[in-house]
Amino acid sequence: KVHYHKWDITYQYKSPDCFNKLAITINGQTPGPTIYASQGDTIVVEVKNSLLTENTAIHWHGIRQIGTPWMDGTEGVTQCPILPGDTFTYRFVVDRPGTYIYHSHYGMQRSAGLNGMIVVKVPEGFPEPFTYDREYNILLNDWWHNSTNDQAAGLLMPENQFKFVGEPQSLLMNGRGRFNCSLAANGNCNASYIECAPLTLTVVPGKTYLLRIASITSLSALNFEIEGHSLTVVEADSHYVDPFVVKNLNIYSGETYSVILKADQDPIRNYWLASNVVGRKPGTPTGTGLLNYYGIPRGRHPPTAPPTGPLWNNTYYRMQQSWATRAHPNFIEPPPVKSDRVIILLNTQNRIDGITRWSLNNVSHDLPHTPYLIALKNNLHHVFEQKPPPETYDIKNYDINVPPPNRNATRSTSIYKLEFGSVVDVILQNANTLTANNSETHPWHLHGHDFWVLGSGLGKFDPETDPKNYNLKDPILKNNVALQTSGWTAIRFKANNPGVWAFHCHIESHFFMGMGIVFEEGVDRLGKLPNSIMGCGKSKLGN
Ligand SMILES: O=C1O[C@H]([C@@H](O)CO)C(O)=C1O
């Protein structure tokens, strides 16, 4: 089955949290429309760029694009951007069931509202390992009142004029939140807007619901909770997990979870849906919605205060909370027992020529003007740095608990070339930022692949001892994983999807500041690239 969508990308004044500002919309909506499909279907999205002054590109987050790497929508990596006034048609197969996200992959446009959900159903009759009466989608986001232009300009200021994006003004559920209008200095803020009416999910006492929860936040690690109800986690990044029950769920940017909710509480009132910031000192009120028990007026607030979630800086708790580590006993795909290559990436914050950047092994990533996929396919070796980036860092002597002794780093367009079919381990190693006694959570996302999460720990990864504790029996498969403060995370994947794939921190400002790398594998196995991805850098000549 082929699903056709026609999207017009425009700037419109919107009030997601009751504060009116310019947002990027799809057919006038932010979040954009939810795409529904079944496993094996083809999705066709004709994207018209009606942003009058800027390019765009749309990434289908979690979709592996096997055989269609040029549809991954990662500007600078898999395609030239879609120019203002131009139309680009994305066409790809959704080869696995689950919950996915789409969002702009150009500049920091995701933060301006260009995002939405994709739901891929299992085929008719396929026995899911859980049952439910109906399902709801919950897209979690954070939201600022200034523009992404303001934000980008602040990030590019030199030395102590650097201005970080700061903590969000509000937290949204399906694009709706509630800023306290009495705090609105300027701009129009009107809490009675229909647009900022809180998300309300109606449940029938005794019934069972599947909640598809996705986070598209630009910065925040969130903790989601439904007051008075426990949640049974059954799926993570569209892979079935060994089910476990939580009171509240940590969800990192880019992740999706499916949880089972039973309407098993006292039906005489409504209950809060709550999302709270964890991992960074909160500066944002709890994001709320309502769980409405059928028969109670939909808008009636619970008699209680919304839950405020776990302590934001309890790393140990967050480590424990990452219970989504084991695959469902009936859906285990064990990893290869050994890897062909181990890449260790030290995450540091640096200052390069006065500009604050993030780096991996002291290399901060810049995107080339000719997308890698085009450059590699056409052997244009002069359009990006050919020297390979460092495979590791000075593990013995580097102190991860102090600011980088050498603030400086280098910027580069270099990429990691992987032997097709090889098994690759990546160890993400966190460290202190430029600020003393400060390490930050980084949610990493890999394009084009799922990876096994073999293990994680606090402190410095030890190549001699830590691999002995990897879970090689039933590790979970995901395409997003959190790197906790001052800790490490180990992942393994097969380089078996011909293409060029970004692997980066999913914090919008961090990727903008160079916190990512790019893998290449099997590009020589690809057929002719579509002309539609050309038109920039050295690809002006067309094919
Ligand atoms: O890139 C960042 O900058 C700030 C801080 O390090 C300097 O203001 C922050 O929290 C980041 O994640």
Side-chain angles (χ1 to χ4, degrees):
K1 193 164 174 308
V2 180
H3 305 263
Y4 288 92
H5 296 267
K6 217 166 143 62
W7 287 359
D8 191 25
I9 312 296
T10 60
Y11 268 109
Q12 307 234 343
Y13 279 96
K14 305 297 279 184
S15 308
D17 63 347
C18 314
F19 181 91
N20 196 255
K21 70 168 272 196
L22 214 48
I24 298 183
T25 67
I26 296 175
N27 301 342
Q29 294 176 52
T30 176
T34 298
I35 293 177
Y36 288 93
S38 288
Q39 180 176 14
D41 287 358
T42 297
I43 292 180
V44 179
V45 187
E46 196 182 293
V47 176
K48 179 160 191 303
N49 176 0
S50 298
L51 303 171
L52 308 175
T53 62
E54 53 188 282
N55 301 327
T56 193
I58 299 185
H59 172 53
W60 317 93
H61 184 110
I63 306 293
R64 291 183 296 180
Q65 302 292 354
I66 296 172
T68 52
W70 41 78
M71 292 299 169
D72 190 47
T74 313
E75 181 268 334
V77 180
T78 60
Q79 73 171 92
C80 291
I82 308 169
L83 300 177
D86 276 4
T87 295
F88 183 98
T89 300
Y90 288 96
R91 183 188 186 92
F92 54 90
V93 171
V94 284
D95 64 323
R96 290 191 59 258
T99 308
Y100 303 91
I101 304 165
Y102 62 79
H103 60 78
S104 173
H105 219 284
Y106 180 79
M108 298 204 292
Q109 281 180 354
R110 178 177 109 223
S111 306
L114 216 182
N115 56 62
M117 285 179 85
I118 304 171
V119 173
V120 181
K121 301 276 200 179
V122 295
E124 281 304 308
F126 180 91
E128 289 181 295
F130 39 80
T131 58
Y132 48 93
D133 296 303
R134 69 164 290 182
E135 61 182 84
Y136 284 119
N137 302 333
I138 302 175
L139 180 60
L140 301 174
N141 203 0
D142 45 15
W143 190 251
W144 282 256
H145 289 167
N146 64 352
S147 73
T148 47
N149 294 330
D150 289 356
Q151 294 183 342
L155 296 173
L156 295 171
M157 297 296 272
E159 296 296 343
N160 52 13
Q161 292 155 46
F162 169 74
K163 189 166 174 296
F164 188 57
V165 300
E167 304 312 317
Q169 271 69 63
S170 50
L171 300 174
L172 309 181
M173 294 187 186
N174 291 359
R176 282 170 279 164
R178 177 121 333 204
F179 180 71
N180 176 348
C181 281
S182 65
L183 306 176
N186 53 14
N188 35 359
C189 190
N190 176 341
S192 63
Y193 276 19
I194 208 59
E195 281 180 68
C196 55
L199 171 66
T200 302
L201 306 179
T202 298
V203 293
V204 173
K207 295 282 184 190
T208 301
Y209 297 83
L210 179 81
L211 305 181
R212 295 173 180 270
I213 309 171
S215 171
I216 190 54
T217 57
S218 296
L219 175 67
S220 311
L222 295 175
N223 180 273
F224 179 77
E225 175 170 353
I226 300 184
E227 181 195 12
H229 295 72
S230 58
L231 303 171
T232 304
V233 184
V234 292
E235 203 173 343
D237 286 0
S238 308
H239 289 275
Y240 297 133
V241 300
D242 193 10
F244 60 97
V245 179
V246 294
K247 175 173 174 295
N248 54 57
L249 176 73
N250 281 340
I251 182 165
Y252 299 89
S253 182
E255 286 189 318
T256 66
Y257 286 97
S258 287
V259 302
I260 297 288
L261 167 77
K262 284 195 181 344
D264 57 7
Q265 294 304 301
D266 188 339
I268 50 114
R269 71 169 175 102
N270 292 338
Y271 297 83
W272 291 110
L273 308 176
S275 98
N276 287 289
V277 170
V278 289
R280 291 176 69 98
K281 189 167 177 10
T284 310
T286 300
T288 57
L290 292 173
L291 187 75
N292 164 242
Y293 268 65
Y294 184 72
I296 305 295
R298 277 174 60 85
R300 179 179 295 172
H301 279 200
T304 50
T308 53
L311 207 57
W312 67 276
N313 59 357
N314 184 339
T315 307
Y316 180 74
Y317 170 84
R318 287 206 309 283
M319 294 292 284
Q320 289 309 304
Q321 176 75 357
S322 63
W323 290 324
T325 56
R326 297 179 42 237
H328 188 288
N330 304 350
F331 295 88
I332 294 178
E333 187 189 334
V337 289
K338 55 179 282 311
S339 62
D340 302 308
R341 182 166 171 188
V342 179
I343 297 170
I344 301 182
L345 299 175
L346 174 70
N347 288 224
T348 55
Q349 187 185 37
N350 301 84
R351 193 149 291 153
I352 306 174
D353 303 329
I355 306 295
T356 304
R357 298 281 293 178
W358 287 90
S359 312
L360 290 316
N361 300 341
N362 239 37
V363 174
S364 186
H365 193 251
D366 279 323
L367 288 170
H369 297 294
T370 304
Y372 290 113
L373 183 59
I374 300 167
L376 287 158
K377 193 81 178 104
N378 295 291
N379 296 317
L380 307 174
H381 297 308
H382 55 293
V383 295
F384 68 87
E385 169 62 54
Q386 298 299 304
K387 185 169 62 69
E391 297 270 311
T392 184
Y393 73 102
D394 180 3
I395 299 179
K396 269 183 72 62
N397 302 313
Y398 191 89
D399 182 350
I400 63 167
N401 296 311
V402 296
N406 157 20
R407 289 194 328 174
N408 237 329
T410 55
R411 297 176 68 146
S412 172
T413 55
S414 58
I415 64 173
Y416 290 83
K417 295 193 170 193
L418 307 178
E419 189 195 335
F420 188 76
S422 64
V423 177
V424 181
D425 282 4
V426 179
I427 315 297
L428 293 163
Q429 175 64 60
N430 212 337
N432 205 94
T433 64
L434 287 167
T435 311
N437 306 314
N438 171 266
S439 178
E440 301 190 350
T441 308
H442 297 291
W444 278 78
H445 167 58
L446 176 59
H447 292 221
H449 302 78
D450 290 318
F451 48 71
W452 288 274
V453 182
L454 301 183
S456 59
L458 290 177
K460 189 186 279 189
F461 173 78
D462 178 342
E464 299 311 311
T465 55
D466 288 318
K468 297 188 179 67
N469 303 319
Y470 285 167
N471 172 6
L472 298 176
K473 179 169 142 314
D474 59 356
I476 191 172
L477 267 167
K478 297 187 77 222
N479 53 78
N480 308 277
V481 72
L483 173 58
Q484 298 294 357
T485 52
S486 305
W488 58 269
T489 298
I491 64 171
R492 178 170 291 173
F493 69 94
K494 286 185 202 162
N496 59 2
N497 185 6
V500 191
W501 308 108
F503 177 49
H504 61 93
C505 177
H506 211 250
I507 291 176
E508 190 79 326
S509 50
H510 288 182
F511 181 54
F512 184 78
M513 295 158 77
M515 192 169 207
I517 64 172
V518 169
F519 293 120
E520 179 274 330
E521 72 216 44
V523 165
D524 50 327
R525 295 165 176 256
L526 289 172
K528 185 176 174 308
L529 303 182
N531 277 349
S532 58
I533 65 169
M534 316 278 184
C536 62
K538 294 284 181 285
S539 69
K540 284 194 181 67
L541 326 171
N543 59 2

